[in-house]
Amino acid sequence: MSSSPVAGPAATGPSSGPATGPSGQPAPDRHRGPGRPGRRIRPVSAGGRRGPRRGIARYFPQYLAVSPYYLIFSVFMLFPMLYTVYLAFQKWDGIGEMQFVGLQQFRFLWDDPVFWLSLRNTVVIWVLSTVPMLFMALVLAVLVNSVRRFTAFYRVALFIPSITSLVAIAIFFGAIFSNNFGLINAILQSMHLSAVPWLSNEWTIKLVIAALMTWQWTGYNAIIYLAGLQAIPSELYEAAKMDGAGPVRIFFSITIPMLRPIILFTVVVSTVTGLQSFTEPQVLFGSDASTNPNSGGPGQAGLTTLLYFYHQAFDNNDFGYAAAIVWAFFLLILLIVTINWRLVQRKERRP
C-alpha cells in the first residue's frame, strides 16, 4: 500500500514562491522575530551616489552656519595672500600695467642694505622684548598663583595692557621717554643726573620699543602661565616639600617641566608677534618732521621689516618689491619659529 507524496521543504525549488502556511498565508521566516515584518530594501542608484548626497544634505545647516567665516577669510585674507605671491614677480606702481620681472625683485632685495638693516633692527628688538617678557610673565604668574586674596583683581590688572589700544600706548611711551619733556628725563634731572636721548640714540630707540612691547604682552603671557600653574596637581608640591625641596628646587624641578608645553606655545606666539612690530615705531616717530614718518626715527634705528614693507608699498608705490619683502620676511619668521620649537622640544626627545 503506497502513500501519497507529502510536500515538504525538499519539494520547493529555487523557482518556487514563498512558503505558505495552512491558511494560505505566507509562513513566517525563521530569521525574523515573531510579528516583526521584513525590511524593504530600497533601490540604490547607479554608482552609489545617493548616500554622499544625503550626507551633505543632512549637514547642510551646519555648513551654512560656518560658511560666512570661510567666505570672509577667502576674500580678505586667502586671496590677498596668494595675490602677493603673483605680485612679487611683477613691477607695479598700483595704477599702471604690471610688468613681469621674474626674480629681479628678490635679487635687488638680497643687495638692499636698508632691508638688512631693518631685519637686524627687528631681530634685536624681538630679543630685547621677548626674553624679559616671558621671564617676567612666569614670575608674575607664580606670585599670583601663590596668593589667596584679590586674585580676580590681579588677573584683570595683568590683562588690561593687552587690550589697550596700541596707538595710545605708543603715544604714552613717546611722552614718557621724550628727549626734552619726558617724565624719565625729568626724574633723572631731579636726581642731578644727565638726561638720556631716548628717542635719538640707536640703542635707546630699540630699548624704548622693546619696553613698550614688554609692557603690553607681559600680562597676557602671565595669564596663560597662571592657567597652566592651576592645572598642576597640588600633590606634587606637597610631596616635594615633604622631601625637603626648597622653592627654587620646586620651581625648576616641578613647575618648569610641567609647564613645558605652555612655554612652547608662548615662545612661538611671542616670536610671531614680536617679529611683526610695526605700530610701535610708526607711531613713536611718525610725528617727527625732521625725518620720514616711516623711516624708523633718527638713523633708521627703529625701522623694522614690516615698517620698511609699508614704506615701499605706500610711500614709494612699489608694490612688487613690497611683496618680495613680506614673503622673504615670512620665510624668516618660519625659520625662527622652527628653531625655537626644536630648542624647546629637545629635552623631551632625550631618553
Side-chain angles (χ1 to χ4, degrees), residues 260-295:
R260 184 173 290 119
I262 300 178
I263 293 176
L264 173 62
F265 170 78
T266 55
V267 168
V268 172
V269 173
S270 300
T271 300
V272 174
T273 56
L275 291 174
Q276 294 180 0
S277 55
F278 165 76
T279 307
E280 298 88 350
Q282 204 275 341
V283 175
L284 282 174
F285 305 104
S287 60
D288 191 353
S290 62
T291 60
N292 189 295
N294 299 315
S295 65

PDB file of all heavy atoms in Angstrom, residues 260-295:
ATOM      1  N   ARG A 260      56.159  72.970  30.346  1.00  0.00           N
ATOM      2  CA  ARG A 260      56.907  72.993  29.090  1.00  0.00           C
ATOM      3  C   ARG A 260      56.004  73.135  27.862  1.00  0.00           C
ATOM      4  O   ARG A 260      56.328  73.912  26.958  1.00  0.00           O
ATOM      5  CB  ARG A 260      57.787  71.753  28.973  1.00  0.00           C
ATOM      6  CG  ARG A 260      58.669  71.773  27.717  1.00  0.00           C
ATOM      7  CD  ARG A 260      59.659  70.631  27.690  1.00  0.00           C
ATOM      8  NE  ARG A 260      60.688  70.828  28.695  1.00  0.00           N
ATOM      9  CZ  ARG A 260      60.917  69.996  29.709  1.00  0.00           C
ATOM     10  NH1 ARG A 260      60.161  68.917  29.848  1.00  0.00           N
ATOM     11  NH2 ARG A 260      61.879  70.223  30.568  1.00  0.00           N
ATOM     12  N   PRO A 261      54.874  72.429  27.736  1.00  0.00           N
ATOM     13  CA  PRO A 261      54.024  72.666  26.552  1.00  0.00           C
ATOM     14  C   PRO A 261      53.490  74.090  26.467  1.00  0.00           C
ATOM     15  O   PRO A 261      53.402  74.666  25.378  1.00  0.00           O
ATOM     16  CB  PRO A 261      52.890  71.646  26.734  1.00  0.00           C
ATOM     17  CG  PRO A 261      53.434  70.601  27.628  1.00  0.00           C
ATOM     18  CD  PRO A 261      54.358  71.317  28.561  1.00  0.00           C
ATOM     19  N   ILE A 262      53.148  74.680  27.612  1.00  0.00           N
ATOM     20  CA  ILE A 262      52.645  76.051  27.605  1.00  0.00           C
ATOM     21  C   ILE A 262      53.768  77.027  27.295  1.00  0.00           C
ATOM     22  O   ILE A 262      53.555  78.032  26.595  1.00  0.00           O
ATOM     23  CB  ILE A 262      51.972  76.366  28.950  1.00  0.00           C
ATOM     24  CG1 ILE A 262      50.814  75.405  29.187  1.00  0.00           C
ATOM     25  CG2 ILE A 262      51.494  77.804  29.010  1.00  0.00           C
ATOM     26  CD1 ILE A 262      50.113  75.589  30.498  1.00  0.00           C
ATOM     27  N   ILE A 263      54.952  76.763  27.797  1.00  0.00           N
ATOM     28  CA  ILE A 263      56.099  77.618  27.473  1.00  0.00           C
ATOM     29  C   ILE A 263      56.385  77.573  25.979  1.00  0.00           C
ATOM     30  O   ILE A 263      56.700  78.594  25.351  1.00  0.00           O
ATOM     31  CB  ILE A 263      57.327  77.186  28.302  1.00  0.00           C
ATOM     32  CG1 ILE A 263      57.097  77.477  29.778  1.00  0.00           C
ATOM     33  CG2 ILE A 263      58.582  77.889  27.803  1.00  0.00           C
ATOM     34  CD1 ILE A 263      58.211  76.992  30.680  1.00  0.00           C
ATOM     35  N   LEU A 264      56.275  76.389  25.382  1.00  0.00           N
ATOM     36  CA  LEU A 264      56.462  76.272  23.942  1.00  0.00           C
ATOM     37  C   LEU A 264      55.440  77.109  23.195  1.00  0.00           C
ATOM     38  O   LEU A 264      55.770  77.807  22.227  1.00  0.00           O
ATOM     39  CB  LEU A 264      56.354  74.801  23.527  1.00  0.00           C
ATOM     40  CG  LEU A 264      56.373  74.514  22.023  1.00  0.00           C
ATOM     41  CD1 LEU A 264      57.682  74.974  21.406  1.00  0.00           C
ATOM     42  CD2 LEU A 264      56.143  73.034  21.758  1.00  0.00           C
ATOM     43  N   PHE A 265      54.199  77.079  23.646  1.00  0.00           N
ATOM     44  CA  PHE A 265      53.151  77.880  22.994  1.00  0.00           C
ATOM     45  C   PHE A 265      53.453  79.371  23.094  1.00  0.00           C
ATOM     46  O   PHE A 265      53.355  80.111  22.096  1.00  0.00           O
ATOM     47  CB  PHE A 265      51.796  77.557  23.632  1.00  0.00           C
ATOM     48  CG  PHE A 265      50.697  78.481  23.217  1.00  0.00           C
ATOM     49  CD1 PHE A 265      50.080  78.347  21.985  1.00  0.00           C
ATOM     50  CD2 PHE A 265      50.272  79.505  24.070  1.00  0.00           C
ATOM     51  CE1 PHE A 265      49.067  79.208  21.601  1.00  0.00           C
ATOM     52  CE2 PHE A 265      49.257  80.363  23.692  1.00  0.00           C
ATOM     53  CZ  PHE A 265      48.651  80.218  22.449  1.00  0.00           C
ATOM     54  N   THR A 266      53.828  79.843  24.270  1.00  0.00           N
ATOM     55  CA  THR A 266      54.102  81.270  24.432  1.00  0.00           C
ATOM     56  C   THR A 266      55.344  81.695  23.657  1.00  0.00           C
ATOM     57  O   THR A 266      55.395  82.822  23.153  1.00  0.00           O
ATOM     58  CB  THR A 266      54.279  81.605  25.921  1.00  0.00           C
ATOM     59  OG1 THR A 266      55.305  80.772  26.488  1.00  0.00           O
ATOM     60  CG2 THR A 266      52.973  81.379  26.675  1.00  0.00           C
ATOM     61  N   VAL A 267      56.333  80.821  23.559  1.00  0.00           N
ATOM     62  CA  VAL A 267      57.529  81.166  22.778  1.00  0.00           C
ATOM     63  C   VAL A 267      57.180  81.333  21.306  1.00  0.00           C
ATOM     64  O   VAL A 267      57.615  82.290  20.648  1.00  0.00           O
ATOM     65  CB  VAL A 267      58.615  80.092  22.975  1.00  0.00           C
ATOM     66  CG1 VAL A 267      59.734  80.260  21.951  1.00  0.00           C
ATOM     67  CG2 VAL A 267      59.199  80.172  24.373  1.00  0.00           C
ATOM     68  N   VAL A 268      56.377  80.415  20.776  1.00  0.00           N
ATOM     69  CA  VAL A 268      56.004  80.500  19.363  1.00  0.00           C
ATOM     70  C   VAL A 268      55.150  81.736  19.094  1.00  0.00           C
ATOM     71  O   VAL A 268      55.397  82.494  18.143  1.00  0.00           O
ATOM     72  CB  VAL A 268      55.262  79.216  18.937  1.00  0.00           C
ATOM     73  CG1 VAL A 268      54.690  79.365  17.534  1.00  0.00           C
ATOM     74  CG2 VAL A 268      56.199  78.018  18.992  1.00  0.00           C
ATOM     75  N   VAL A 269      54.148  81.976  19.944  1.00  0.00           N
ATOM     76  CA  VAL A 269      53.272  83.136  19.746  1.00  0.00           C
ATOM     77  C   VAL A 269      54.044  84.437  19.919  1.00  0.00           C
ATOM     78  O   VAL A 269      53.876  85.391  19.144  1.00  0.00           O
ATOM     79  CB  VAL A 269      52.075  83.061  20.712  1.00  0.00           C
ATOM     80  CG1 VAL A 269      51.257  84.340  20.652  1.00  0.00           C
ATOM     81  CG2 VAL A 269      51.195  81.868  20.378  1.00  0.00           C
ATOM     82  N   SER A 270      54.921  84.503  20.913  1.00  0.00           N
ATOM     83  CA  SER A 270      55.707  85.721  21.136  1.00  0.00           C
ATOM     84  C   SER A 270      56.690  85.955  20.004  1.00  0.00           C
ATOM     85  O   SER A 270      56.997  87.108  19.679  1.00  0.00           O
ATOM     86  CB  SER A 270      56.446  85.623  22.473  1.00  0.00           C
ATOM     87  OG  SER A 270      55.542  85.476  23.554  1.00  0.00           O
ATOM     88  N   THR A 271      57.193  84.885  19.415  1.00  0.00           N
ATOM     89  CA  THR A 271      58.093  85.040  18.270  1.00  0.00           C
ATOM     90  C   THR A 271      57.365  85.636  17.083  1.00  0.00           C
ATOM     91  O   THR A 271      57.858  86.568  16.428  1.00  0.00           O
ATOM     92  CB  THR A 271      58.697  83.677  17.895  1.00  0.00           C
ATOM     93  OG1 THR A 271      59.432  83.163  19.009  1.00  0.00           O
ATOM     94  CG2 THR A 271      59.621  83.813  16.702  1.00  0.00           C
ATOM     95  N   VAL A 272      56.182  85.114  16.805  1.00  0.00           N
ATOM     96  CA  VAL A 272      55.422  85.607  15.647  1.00  0.00           C
ATOM     97  C   VAL A 272      55.000  87.060  15.853  1.00  0.00           C
ATOM     98  O   VAL A 272      55.147  87.903  14.951  1.00  0.00           O
ATOM     99  CB  VAL A 272      54.201  84.703  15.394  1.00  0.00           C
ATOM    100  CG1 VAL A 272      53.330  85.273  14.293  1.00  0.00           C
ATOM    101  CG2 VAL A 272      54.643  83.289  15.042  1.00  0.00           C
ATOM    102  N   THR A 273      54.470  87.386  17.034  1.00  0.00           N
ATOM    103  CA  THR A 273      54.011  88.754  17.285  1.00  0.00           C
ATOM    104  C   THR A 273      55.175  89.732  17.472  1.00  0.00           C
ATOM    105  O   THR A 273      55.080  90.897  17.055  1.00  0.00           O
ATOM    106  CB  THR A 273      53.115  88.786  18.526  1.00  0.00           C
ATOM    107  OG1 THR A 273      53.833  88.233  19.647  1.00  0.00           O
ATOM    108  CG2 THR A 273      51.859  87.970  18.295  1.00  0.00           C
ATOM    109  N   GLY A 274      56.260  89.265  18.099  1.00  0.00           N
ATOM    110  CA  GLY A 274      57.388  90.156  18.324  1.00  0.00           C
ATOM    111  C   GLY A 274      58.105  90.557  17.056  1.00  0.00           C
ATOM    112  O   GLY A 274      58.589  91.697  16.933  1.00  0.00           O
ATOM    113  N   LEU A 275      58.190  89.650  16.088  1.00  0.00           N
ATOM    114  CA  LEU A 275      58.859  89.976  14.834  1.00  0.00           C
ATOM    115  C   LEU A 275      57.990  90.829  13.917  1.00  0.00           C
ATOM    116  O   LEU A 275      58.490  91.358  12.923  1.00  0.00           O
ATOM    117  CB  LEU A 275      59.245  88.686  14.099  1.00  0.00           C
ATOM    118  CG  LEU A 275      60.360  87.867  14.750  1.00  0.00           C
ATOM    119  CD1 LEU A 275      60.550  86.547  14.013  1.00  0.00           C
ATOM    120  CD2 LEU A 275      61.669  88.645  14.781  1.00  0.00           C
ATOM    121  N   GLN A 276      56.705  90.963  14.224  1.00  0.00           N
ATOM    122  CA  GLN A 276      55.806  91.756  13.395  1.00  0.00           C
ATOM    123  C   GLN A 276      55.577  93.147  13.970  1.00  0.00           C
ATOM    124  O   GLN A 276      54.503  93.728  13.803  1.00  0.00           O
ATOM    125  CB  GLN A 276      54.465  91.037  13.243  1.00  0.00           C
ATOM    126  CG  GLN A 276      54.558  89.730  12.478  1.00  0.00           C
ATOM    127  CD  GLN A 276      53.213  89.041  12.342  1.00  0.00           C
ATOM    128  OE1 GLN A 276      52.197  89.539  12.817  1.00  0.00           O
ATOM    129  NE2 GLN A 276      53.203  87.896  11.686  1.00  0.00           N
ATOM    130  N   SER A 277      56.567  93.699  14.624  1.00  0.00           N
ATOM    131  CA  SER A 277      56.430  95.037  15.202  1.00  0.00           C
ATOM    132  C   SER A 277      56.342  96.080  14.087  1.00  0.00           C
ATOM    133  O   SER A 277      57.206  96.184  13.221  1.00  0.00           O
ATOM    134  CB  SER A 277      57.625  95.339  16.111  1.00  0.00           C
ATOM    135  OG  SER A 277      58.841  95.174  15.398  1.00  0.00           O
ATOM    136  N   PHE A 278      55.277  96.830  14.107  1.00  0.00           N
ATOM    137  CA  PHE A 278      55.041  97.862  13.080  1.00  0.00           C
ATOM    138  C   PHE A 278      54.485  99.144  13.686  1.00  0.00           C
ATOM    139  O   PHE A 278      54.999 100.239  13.452  1.00  0.00           O
ATOM    140  CB  PHE A 278      54.074  97.321  12.017  1.00  0.00           C
ATOM    141  CG  PHE A 278      53.488  98.390  11.137  1.00  0.00           C
ATOM    142  CD1 PHE A 278      54.241  98.962  10.128  1.00  0.00           C
ATOM    143  CD2 PHE A 278      52.190  98.839  11.324  1.00  0.00           C
ATOM    144  CE1 PHE A 278      53.706  99.963   9.312  1.00  0.00           C
ATOM    145  CE2 PHE A 278      51.646  99.830  10.530  1.00  0.00           C
ATOM    146  CZ  PHE A 278      52.410 100.392   9.518  1.00  0.00           C
ATOM    147  N   THR A 279      53.434  99.019  14.483  1.00  0.00           N
ATOM    148  CA  THR A 279      52.752 100.210  15.005  1.00  0.00           C
ATOM    149  C   THR A 279      53.641 100.983  15.965  1.00  0.00           C
ATOM    150  O   THR A 279      53.584 102.227  16.002  1.00  0.00           O
ATOM    151  CB  THR A 279      51.454  99.782  15.707  1.00  0.00           C
ATOM    152  OG1 THR A 279      50.684  98.974  14.820  1.00  0.00           O
ATOM    153  CG2 THR A 279      50.636 100.982  16.122  1.00  0.00           C
ATOM    154  N   GLU A 280      54.444 100.266  16.750  1.00  0.00           N
ATOM    155  CA  GLU A 280      55.260 100.936  17.771  1.00  0.00           C
ATOM    156  C   GLU A 280      56.201 101.976  17.162  1.00  0.00           C
ATOM    157  O   GLU A 280      56.136 103.160  17.530  1.00  0.00           O
ATOM    158  CB  GLU A 280      56.038  99.900  18.590  1.00  0.00           C
ATOM    159  CG  GLU A 280      55.165  98.918  19.354  1.00  0.00           C
ATOM    160  CD  GLU A 280      54.791  97.695  18.524  1.00  0.00           C
ATOM    161  OE1 GLU A 280      55.049  97.723  17.310  1.00  0.00           O
ATOM    162  OE2 GLU A 280      54.259  96.724  19.090  1.00  0.00           O
ATOM    163  N   PRO A 281      57.103 101.595  16.237  1.00  0.00           N
ATOM    164  CA  PRO A 281      57.986 102.639  15.670  1.00  0.00           C
ATOM    165  C   PRO A 281      57.247 103.619  14.774  1.00  0.00           C
ATOM    166  O   PRO A 281      57.639 104.791  14.681  1.00  0.00           O
ATOM    167  CB  PRO A 281      59.015 101.822  14.873  1.00  0.00           C
ATOM    168  CG  PRO A 281      58.329 100.540  14.550  1.00  0.00           C
ATOM    169  CD  PRO A 281      57.449 100.258  15.728  1.00  0.00           C
ATOM    170  N   GLN A 282      56.167 103.174  14.129  1.00  0.00           N
ATOM    171  CA  GLN A 282      55.440 104.068  13.236  1.00  0.00           C
ATOM    172  C   GLN A 282      54.784 105.206  14.002  1.00  0.00           C
ATOM    173  O   GLN A 282      54.771 106.348  13.547  1.00  0.00           O
ATOM    174  CB  GLN A 282      54.408 103.256  12.447  1.00  0.00           C
ATOM    175  CG  GLN A 282      54.005 103.880  11.119  1.00  0.00           C
ATOM    176  CD  GLN A 282      52.887 104.897  11.266  1.00  0.00           C
ATOM    177  OE1 GLN A 282      52.165 104.902  12.260  1.00  0.00           O
ATOM    178  NE2 GLN A 282      52.740 105.762  10.271  1.00  0.00           N
ATOM    179  N   VAL A 283      54.233 104.910  15.188  1.00  0.00           N
ATOM    180  CA  VAL A 283      53.590 105.954  15.990  1.00  0.00           C
ATOM    181  C   VAL A 283      54.638 106.774  16.738  1.00  0.00           C
ATOM    182  O   VAL A 283      54.505 108.000  16.861  1.00  0.00           O
ATOM    183  CB  VAL A 283      52.587 105.316  16.970  1.00  0.00           C
ATOM    184  CG1 VAL A 283      51.995 106.363  17.903  1.00  0.00           C
ATOM    185  CG2 VAL A 283      51.477 104.613  16.195  1.00  0.00           C
ATOM    186  N   LEU A 284      55.675 106.143  17.241  1.00  0.00           N
ATOM    187  CA  LEU A 284      56.687 106.870  18.007  1.00  0.00           C
ATOM    188  C   LEU A 284      57.391 107.920  17.164  1.00  0.00           C
ATOM    189  O   LEU A 284      57.698 109.016  17.655  1.00  0.00           O
ATOM    190  CB  LEU A 284      57.714 105.889  18.577  1.00  0.00           C
ATOM    191  CG  LEU A 284      57.295 105.094  19.822  1.00  0.00           C
ATOM    192  CD1 LEU A 284      58.361 104.065  20.170  1.00  0.00           C
ATOM    193  CD2 LEU A 284      57.067 106.021  21.006  1.00  0.00           C
ATOM    194  N   PHE A 285      57.659 107.601  15.891  1.00  0.00           N
ATOM    195  CA  PHE A 285      58.441 108.513  15.053  1.00  0.00           C
ATOM    196  C   PHE A 285      57.648 109.042  13.872  1.00  0.00           C
ATOM    197  O   PHE A 285      58.211 109.672  12.977  1.00  0.00           O
ATOM    198  CB  PHE A 285      59.692 107.789  14.532  1.00  0.00           C
ATOM    199  CG  PHE A 285      60.531 107.191  15.623  1.00  0.00           C
ATOM    200  CD1 PHE A 285      60.512 105.833  15.866  1.00  0.00           C
ATOM    201  CD2 PHE A 285      61.310 107.985  16.431  1.00  0.00           C
ATOM    202  CE1 PHE A 285      61.267 105.265  16.881  1.00  0.00           C
ATOM    203  CE2 PHE A 285      62.079 107.436  17.447  1.00  0.00           C
ATOM    204  CZ  PHE A 285      62.057 106.078  17.677  1.00  0.00           C
ATOM    205  N   GLY A 286      56.332 108.821  13.866  1.00  0.00           N
ATOM    206  CA  GLY A 286      55.529 109.317  12.745  1.00  0.00           C
ATOM    207  C   GLY A 286      55.330 110.805  12.755  1.00  0.00           C
ATOM    208  O   GLY A 286      55.069 111.400  11.710  1.00  0.00           O
ATOM    209  N   SER A 287      55.431 111.441  13.910  1.00  0.00           N
ATOM    210  CA  SER A 287      55.224 112.891  14.006  1.00  0.00           C
ATOM    211  C   SER A 287      56.514 113.682  13.958  1.00  0.00           C
ATOM    212  O   SER A 287      56.501 114.908  14.138  1.00  0.00           O
ATOM    213  CB  SER A 287      54.480 113.220  15.307  1.00  0.00           C
ATOM    214  OG  SER A 287      55.229 112.781  16.440  1.00  0.00           O
ATOM    215  N   ASP A 288      57.645 113.009  13.715  1.00  0.00           N
ATOM    216  CA  ASP A 288      58.938 113.700  13.644  1.00  0.00           C
ATOM    217  C   ASP A 288      59.074 114.338  12.267  1.00  0.00           C
ATOM    218  O   ASP A 288      59.229 113.656  11.253  1.00  0.00           O
ATOM    219  CB  ASP A 288      60.078 112.702  13.879  1.00  0.00           C
ATOM    220  CG  ASP A 288      61.415 113.410  14.092  1.00  0.00           C
ATOM    221  OD1 ASP A 288      61.451 114.645  13.928  1.00  0.00           O
ATOM    222  OD2 ASP A 288      62.400 112.715  14.398  1.00  0.00           O
ATOM    223  N   ALA A 289      58.972 115.652  12.225  1.00  0.00           N
ATOM    224  CA  ALA A 289      59.013 116.349  10.939  1.00  0.00           C
ATOM    225  C   ALA A 289      60.395 116.332  10.304  1.00  0.00           C
ATOM    226  O   ALA A 289      60.523 116.551   9.094  1.00  0.00           O
ATOM    227  CB  ALA A 289      58.538 117.800  11.115  1.00  0.00           C
ATOM    228  N   SER A 290      61.432 116.090  11.086  1.00  0.00           N
ATOM    229  CA  SER A 290      62.784 116.112  10.532  1.00  0.00           C
ATOM    230  C   SER A 290      63.120 114.846   9.756  1.00  0.00           C
ATOM    231  O   SER A 290      64.091 114.827   9.007  1.00  0.00           O
ATOM    232  CB  SER A 290      63.807 116.304  11.665  1.00  0.00           C
ATOM    233  OG  SER A 290      63.732 115.216  12.583  1.00  0.00           O
ATOM    234  N   THR A 291      62.351 113.802   9.930  1.00  0.00           N
ATOM    235  CA  THR A 291      62.620 112.545   9.233  1.00  0.00           C
ATOM    236  C   THR A 291      61.355 112.086   8.519  1.00  0.00           C
ATOM    237  O   THR A 291      60.267 112.617   8.720  1.00  0.00           O
ATOM    238  CB  THR A 291      63.067 111.459  10.226  1.00  0.00           C
ATOM    239  OG1 THR A 291      62.023 111.237  11.190  1.00  0.00           O
ATOM    240  CG2 THR A 291      64.337 111.868  10.956  1.00  0.00           C
ATOM    241  N   ASN A 292      61.504 111.080   7.704  1.00  0.00           N
ATOM    242  CA  ASN A 292      60.346 110.483   7.056  1.00  0.00           C
ATOM    243  C   ASN A 292      59.478 109.804   8.105  1.00  0.00           C
ATOM    244  O   ASN A 292      59.999 109.135   8.994  1.00  0.00           O
ATOM    245  CB  ASN A 292      60.817 109.458   6.010  1.00  0.00           C
ATOM    246  CG  ASN A 292      59.678 108.954   5.145  1.00  0.00           C
ATOM    247  OD1 ASN A 292      58.766 108.293   5.612  1.00  0.00           O
ATOM    248  ND2 ASN A 292      59.749 109.269   3.858  1.00  0.00           N
ATOM    249  N   PRO A 293      58.155 109.947   8.051  1.00  0.00           N
ATOM    250  CA  PRO A 293      57.298 109.337   9.080  1.00  0.00           C
ATOM    251  C   PRO A 293      57.449 107.820   9.183  1.00  0.00           C
ATOM    252  O   PRO A 293      57.167 107.258  10.235  1.00  0.00           O
ATOM    253  CB  PRO A 293      55.887 109.718   8.618  1.00  0.00           C
ATOM    254  CG  PRO A 293      56.061 110.914   7.766  1.00  0.00           C
ATOM    255  CD  PRO A 293      57.388 110.744   7.099  1.00  0.00           C
ATOM    256  N   ASN A 294      57.883 107.183   8.112  1.00  0.00           N
ATOM    257  CA  ASN A 294      58.004 105.733   8.110  1.00  0.00           C
ATOM    258  C   ASN A 294      59.449 105.264   7.985  1.00  0.00           C
ATOM    259  O   ASN A 294      59.713 104.166   7.501  1.00  0.00           O
ATOM    260  CB  ASN A 294      57.180 105.142   6.957  1.00  0.00           C
ATOM    261  CG  ASN A 294      55.711 105.466   7.084  1.00  0.00           C
ATOM    262  OD1 ASN A 294      55.137 105.352   8.156  1.00  0.00           O
ATOM    263  ND2 ASN A 294      55.097 105.882   5.992  1.00  0.00           N
ATOM    264  N   SER A 295      60.379 106.090   8.431  1.00  0.00           N
ATOM    265  CA  SER A 295      61.785 105.714   8.339  1.00  0.00           C
ATOM    266  C   SER A 295      62.328 105.090   9.612  1.00  0.00           C
ATOM    267  O   SER A 295      63.444 104.603   9.629  1.00  0.00           O
ATOM    268  CB  SER A 295      62.636 106.940   7.987  1.00  0.00           C
ATOM    269  OG  SER A 295      62.581 107.899   9.041  1.00  0.00           O
TER     270      SER A 295
END
